[in-house]
Amino acid sequence: MLKIVLLGAPGSGKGTQSAKLVEEYGVPQISTGDLLRHAVSEQTELGLEAKKAMDAGELVSDHIVVGMIRERLNEPDTANGFILDGFPRSLAQAEALDEMLAELGRPLQCVVHLRVDNEEIVQRLLSRGREDDNEQTIRNRQSVYQEQTEPLVAYYEKQGLLKPVAGVGTVDDIFSRIKTALNEA
Ligand code: B4P
């Protein structure tokens, strides 16, 4: 059983580490970025609305993202746990998540905070080269992160759930640090 949030700036490696956690613990990864990119590729109404925000490096509206997560957490494969990757990203999303998990009787175990400095992130994302990985959008994502997502560090620290992990070094080194943090949780 693993019920965690991976918190970190855009490009801090949440998706990379989630894939390894899925392999190790056998619980599903729930990535709002992946769910949104899927909606964009299917050209649903929601996808078209989300694309504008994603291309600009802004957050997609809380209403859309919370609805997607509510649906996903009600699917049976999450009964034994989940890795939330890239959600929550605002205080409103974090509060909505607390409510949903209280209703489901499945509180969070811990929040892993991947810490990487901004310049390293710009270099990583420029070499990843996804559609929203140009320098201007990356810089905007970083300032949106600082304004809207960074307050979640204090939010989860207050709840005694925060586990800071250095997100630099090799993917395997970071993964070992995450496992150590989870064992302590
Ligand atoms: P996401 O899909 O969540 O993407 P991300 O934050 O950019 O990436 P992540 O941290 O997962 O990094 P990755 O492992 O890929 O979000 C995209 C957009 O969707 C957002 O800007 C927003 O518009 C929208 N969105 C998503 N969730 C939302 C929400 N909850 N509310 C509102 N809007 C939302 O790693 C990045 C790169 O680094 C990769 O190329 C990887 O190979 C490399 N890398 C990883 N680890 C490394 C290491 N140790 N060393 C060197 N390189 C490494």
Side-chain angles (χ1 to χ4, degrees):
M1 175 77 87
L2 191 72
K3 292 170 296 176
I4 64 165
V5 165
L6 273 190
L7 181 67
S12 56
K14 303 180 296 289
T16 305
Q17 296 298 329
S18 292
K20 294 184 72 72
L21 288 164
V22 168
E23 231 174 79
E24 178 93 7
Y25 295 94
V27 295
Q29 166 198 14
I30 305 179
S31 156
T32 36
D34 289 347
L35 292 169
L36 289 166
R37 277 185 291 278
H38 179 71
V40 170
S41 72
E42 296 283 300
Q43 297 191 308
T44 61
E45 204 176 310
L46 181 155
L48 294 175
E49 191 181 330
K51 188 172 186 334
K52 278 189 227 148
M54 293 170 84
D55 285 347
E58 300 289 337
L59 293 186
V60 175
S61 81
D62 289 336
H63 170 73
I64 289 181
V65 178
V66 168
M68 281 184 349
I69 290 288
R70 180 170 285 120
E71 246 175 59
R72 188 65 188 87
L73 284 176
N74 276 305
E75 285 175 30
D77 66 329
T78 64
N80 287 325
F82 48 78
I83 298 153
L84 286 169
D85 158 14
F87 179 90
R89 261 175 155 95
S90 66
L91 276 174
Q93 291 180 15
E95 285 162 2
L97 177 65
D98 280 349
E99 271 174 39
M100 276 185 254
L101 294 179
E103 270 168 36
L104 293 166
R106 287 189 255 157
L108 280 179
Q109 248 164 325
C110 77
V111 173
V112 173
H113 178 208
L114 278 178
R115 297 164 57 96
V116 184
D117 75 47
N118 280 354
E119 287 317 307
E120 157 105 16
I121 281 179
V122 174
Q123 292 319 313
R124 283 186 191 180
L125 293 184
L126 287 176
S127 51
R128 178 172 69 177
R130 207 169 65 194
E131 208 181 327
D132 55 345
D133 286 338
N134 61 74
E135 186 150 359
Q136 195 187 345
T137 300
I138 294 169
R139 299 271 177 212
N140 194 36
R141 271 152 67 191
Q142 289 182 325
S143 65
V144 167
Y145 176 81
Q146 261 144 24
E147 279 162 32
Q148 301 195 50
T149 312
E150 187 93 349
L152 298 186
V153 171
Y155 179 86
Y156 286 121
E157 198 159 33
K158 221 189 235 172
Q159 295 190 13
L161 291 174
L162 197 74
K163 290 277 171 196
V165 168
V168 286
T170 69
V171 170
D172 285 340
D173 285 345
I174 298 163
F175 186 56
S176 305
R177 284 180 214 136
I178 293 178
K179 281 198 292 184
T180 305
L182 293 177
N183 286 335
E184 288 167 359

